[in-house]
Structures are given as structure tokens and as C-alpha cells.
């Protein structure tokens, strides 16, 4: 089920006792849970209980889902990774899905939309999974405009496009940047492109994405120029090690998956400008070269922490060996 359809049901007051959320956009997970909770509890205080098999025994989780008090108190349970509830408790959880307590609101959450197992299939045969992955393309535009509207702000389509290009890797990131922009412009209603440039760290972040794009496209001179500029921004190459390593891990992941990009399993969030080209970048690198890049970055990281080095020289030599 799509989030839009589920939210419409909630707005009509159609609340189900159990929801099965699949996808790793934490903003979307929390947004939906809060919307349902507001309808379920009304004016009463929201009583949220978080549980996951990694932190407590499966038997204890099931006991909390079964036991009721004399006052029939409403409760909201959030259970992450329910597929790890195995044995008798797992069977009991499936029974609860079949016959839920009307005073309880239960959210089962698995971050990986593509996760499959016999247990997950059994849950899905009872409860239709709700897709809480970060929206794609046109849907992310709708969310951006919706979040702006929530803050009583608006923006031209070109501004929204730039905002998504830089922060559309997740709704949480997008929402945080919109909140920053709202604080920046105060009572003014319209957010402009110039406002985006004034956000602290925005130019530096944009330069980082431009650097990764240049590397992905194997543009030697541009990679050198932007990379050195970033070293001047950060004061050291150390701040580039993590994003560079993850960038090449993303590309390696694509190579290992034969060119299929699965956003939910990616190592880090990427801006749309890079995400939309990640498969293209992967086609330009061999597995051997990608592994070399990751190894070189590991060695540079070790040298920076143990020796005195010339950051610009290290960067130029790295780029030279990878795309030169």
C-alpha cells in the first residue's frame, strides 16, 4: 500500500489495529505513526512503547502485547524487526495479527522493503505492507511542497528542484533543510534560491556532491580542482575520506548487483543528482579499480592519523591512480 492511500484512510478515521511498515525513511515512519496516533488517542495522552528483539526477550514482547489492565488503557506499540521474534513467540505474534486487541495500536517495522522470509510472508498474508521508502521523483516534489505548506511557506519549482537535488536522499534530510530555511527567512512567505546559498554548510555540501559527480564522470581536472577547494574548506583531506569511501562502496554494491540499484540497501544517503547516475558511474569503473580506490582511501586515512602529509598531494595522487 502507498503512504498516500494509507493517510487518506486515516483522515477518514479508518484506523487499523496493526500496521506493517517496510522501508527505511525514518521521517516517513514517524510521520505516519504520529498521524495514526493522533486519531487513535484523540485528546488523550499518547502512550508509546518501543520494543525490539535485540533489546528484550521475544517472550516479554508478546506478554506486553497480550496483557491488558483493568481500565482498558489505550497503548501504542512500535516493534522493529519483528522477523527476529522466532519460535513460540513468533507463532503468538502471528496469532495477535489475526486477532488484535482493539485497545492496542501496533506498528511492525522492517527497514528493508525487499526483505523476504517465511515469517515475513506470513505477516504480509495477514497485513498489507505499507511502503515507507523515501519517495521517488514526482512524489518527492509533492512531499517538498507539502512540507513547505505545513510551515506556511512556498517556493518556485526551480527552488524546490534544487532543494530536492541536494537533500532528497531522505524526507528527514529534506524536512531539516526546510526547517532551517524557514528559520532563516523568518516571516517571509517565499523561499528563494539565494536563501539556500545562505544555509550554513550548504556551499560546502554542494561542492562535495560536485566533487563526487566529477569523480563519477572521470573528469580528472575538475576532480582535482574541486577536491583541492574542499580541502581548503575542511582544512584536511580527512573529512573527505568517509564520503569518498562510501561513494565507492555504493558503486561497488551496484557492480556486485549487476547494475541494479536498490536504494533501501545502499550504504549512505545520496543526493538525487548522484543517485540518478550511480549505475552509469558503475559502468565506468571495474571492480578491481573500485577495490583499489577503497584500499587507497584506507591507507590515506591511516597515514593522516599517524604521519605528517601533504593533503593536496595525497588527493592528486589518489585521483591520478583512479581516473588519471
Amino acid at each position: 500500500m502507498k503512504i498516500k492511500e494509507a493517510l487518506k484512510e486515516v483522515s477518514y478515521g479508518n484506523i487499523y489495529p496493526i500496521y506493517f511498515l517496510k522501508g527505511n525513511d525514518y521521517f516517513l515512519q514517524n510521520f505516519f505513526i504520529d498521524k495514526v496516533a493522533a486519531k487513535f488517542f484523540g485528546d488523550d495522552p499518547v502512550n508509546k512503547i518501543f520494543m525490539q528483539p535485540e533489546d528484550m526477550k521475544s517472550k516479554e514482547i508478546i506478554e506486553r502485547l497480550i496483557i491488558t489492565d483493568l481500565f482498558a488503557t489505550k497503548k501504542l506499540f512500535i516493534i522493529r524487526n519483528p522477523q527476529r521474534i522466532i519460535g513460540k513467540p513468533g507463532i503468538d505474534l502471528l496469532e495477535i495479527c489475526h486477532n488484535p486487541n482493539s485497545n492496542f495500536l501496533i506498528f511492525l517495522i522492517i527497514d528493508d522493503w525487499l526483505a523476504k522470509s517465511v515469517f515475513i510472508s506470513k505477516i504480509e498474508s495477514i497485513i498489507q505492507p505499507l511502503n515507507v521508502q523515501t519517495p521517488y521523483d514526482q512524489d518527492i516534489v509533492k512531499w517538498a511542497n507539502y512540507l513547505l505548506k505545513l510551515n506556511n511557506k512556498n517556493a518556485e519549482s526551480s527552488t524546490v528542484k534544487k532543494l530536492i537535488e541536494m537533500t532528497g536522499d531522505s524526507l528527514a534530510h529534506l524536512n531539516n533543510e526546510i526547517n532551517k530555511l524557514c528559520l532563516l527567512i523568518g516571516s517571509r512567505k517565499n523561499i528563494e534560491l539565494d536563501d539556500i546559498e545562505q544555509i550554513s554548510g550548504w556551499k560546502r555540501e554542494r561542492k562535495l556532491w560536485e566533487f563526487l559527480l566529477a569523480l563519477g564522470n572521470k573528469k580528472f581536472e575538475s576532480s582535482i580542482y574541486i577536491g583541492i577547494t574542499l580541502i581548503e574548506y575542511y582544512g584536511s583531506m580527512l573529512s573527505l575520506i568517509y564520503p569518498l569511501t562510501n561513494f565507492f562502496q555504493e558503486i561497488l554494491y551496484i557492480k556486485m548487483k549487476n547494475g541494479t540499484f536498490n536504494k533501501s540497501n545502499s550504504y549512505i544517503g545520496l543526493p538525487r543528482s548522484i543517485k540518478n547516475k550511480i549505475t552509469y558511474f558503475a559502468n565506468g569503473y571495474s571492480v578491481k579499480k573500485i577495490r583499489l580506490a577503497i584500499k587507497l582511501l584506507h591507507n590515506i586515512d591511516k597515514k593522516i592519523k599517524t604521519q605528517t602529509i601533504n593533503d593536496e598531494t595525497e588527493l592528486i595522487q589518489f585521483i591520478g591512480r583512479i581516473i588519471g
Side-chain angles (χ1 to χ4, degrees):
M1 181 185 294
K2 291 185 178 180
I3 189 74
K4 182 180 179 181
E5 298 168 1
L7 287 170
K8 185 178 292 186
E9 286 284 317
V10 172
S11 68
Y12 293 152
N14 297 326
I15 305 296
Y16 299 102
I18 303 181
Y19 290 91
F20 183 25
L21 279 53
K22 291 184 74 178
N24 65 348
D25 195 300
Y26 297 109
F27 174 86
L28 205 50
Q29 291 176 6
N30 293 327
F31 181 87
F32 181 74
I33 290 172
D34 289 344
K35 287 290 184 181
V36 178
K39 284 285 185 179
F40 182 73
F41 287 95
D43 295 329
D44 297 331
V46 177
N47 183 10
K48 282 185 183 180
I49 301 169
F50 298 87
M51 301 188 292
Q52 55 184 24
E54 294 89 343
D55 298 332
M56 57 195 302
K57 293 181 179 179
S58 297
K59 183 180 179 181
E60 183 183 351
I61 292 176
I62 299 303
E63 287 176 349
R64 292 198 181 191
L65 296 177
I66 294 175
I67 296 174
T68 57
D69 57 42
L70 295 174
F71 304 100
T73 306
K74 287 185 175 181
K75 295 179 181 179
L76 186 160
F77 294 95
I78 298 174
I79 305 173
R80 291 192 173 276
N81 300 317
Q83 76 277 17
R84 295 180 181 174
I85 299 176
I86 58 176
K88 177 64 165 56
I91 296 173
D92 292 337
L93 179 58
L94 292 174
E95 180 59 31
I96 291 170
C97 291
H98 276 295
N99 300 291
N101 186 325
S102 60
N103 288 317
F104 291 171
L105 186 59
I106 301 173
F107 292 90
L108 306 176
I109 304 176
I110 295 178
D111 288 342
D112 186 358
W113 171 255
L114 297 178
K116 294 293 181 183
S117 72
V118 173
F119 186 76
I120 291 173
S121 296
K122 288 181 179 179
I123 294 178
E124 291 178 342
S125 69
I126 307 169
I127 309 165
Q128 184 178 4
L130 177 62
N131 187 346
V132 286
Q133 296 183 103
T134 300
Y136 286 101
D137 304 326
Q138 196 59 37
D139 285 338
I140 197 79
V141 174
K142 293 177 182 177
W143 271 100
N145 286 317
Y146 174 74
L147 293 172
L148 288 169
K149 186 177 180 180
L150 283 180
N151 287 278
N152 199 26
K153 305 294 182 185
N154 54 67
E156 297 292 332
S157 59
S158 58
T159 303
V160 173
K161 181 180 179 181
K162 176 59 69 175
L163 195 58
I164 291 171
E165 180 183 312
M166 302 303 295
T167 68
D169 57 289
S170 72
L171 285 179
H173 192 182
L174 178 63
N175 185 58
N176 286 339
E177 294 305 319
I178 287 175
N179 288 337
K180 289 180 186 177
L181 287 165
C182 291
L183 289 173
L184 175 69
I185 69 173
S187 60
R188 177 155 52 90
K189 300 295 183 184
N190 192 59
I191 295 175
E192 301 172 355
L193 280 172
D194 288 345
D195 297 323
I196 294 176
E197 295 290 346
Q198 294 182 49
I199 295 179
S200 177
W202 184 279
K203 289 184 178 180
R204 181 172 58 194
E205 185 175 3
R206 185 185 65 186
K207 280 292 182 185
L208 175 58
W209 303 143
E210 289 176 354
F211 177 51
L212 297 179
L213 282 170
L215 275 176
N217 287 309
K218 290 191 169 183
K219 295 183 177 180
F220 182 75
E221 292 184 0
S222 295
S223 297
I224 295 293
Y225 174 76
I226 300 173
I228 290 175
T229 301
L230 281 169
I231 288 176
E232 292 174 355
Y233 269 134
Y234 289 116
S236 168
M237 188 181 169
L238 189 61
S239 298
L240 295 180
I241 298 296
Y242 179 75
L244 277 172
T245 300
N246 283 300
F247 175 68
F248 282 104
Q249 285 178 328
E250 292 279 5
I251 296 177
L252 180 60
Y253 180 82
I254 296 298
K255 298 293 286 189
M256 303 303 288
K257 290 293 182 178
N258 298 318
T260 303
F261 182 69
N262 172 19
K263 178 177 64 173
S264 66
N265 284 336
S266 62
Y267 288 94
I268 56 168
L270 291 172
R272 304 238 156 192
S273 56
I274 294 177
K275 188 177 295 180
N276 292 339
K277 296 182 178 180
I278 197 72
T279 301
Y280 171 77
F281 294 157
N283 291 333
Y285 284 93
S286 66
V287 171
K288 182 178 179 180
K289 186 70 75 171
I290 299 169
R291 292 188 187 280
L292 173 63
I294 295 172
K295 180 180 179 181
L296 289 174
L297 288 167
H298 174 74
N299 292 338
I300 294 171
D301 179 56
K302 190 174 182 179
K303 286 171 66 176
I304 290 175
K305 294 174 180 177
T306 58
Q307 306 172 29
T308 300
I309 65 167
N310 185 304
D311 294 76
E312 292 185 7
T313 299
E314 291 292 336
L315 177 67
I316 293 170
Q317 289 178 350
F318 168 77
I319 294 174
R321 292 194 63 179
I322 300 304
I323 66 174

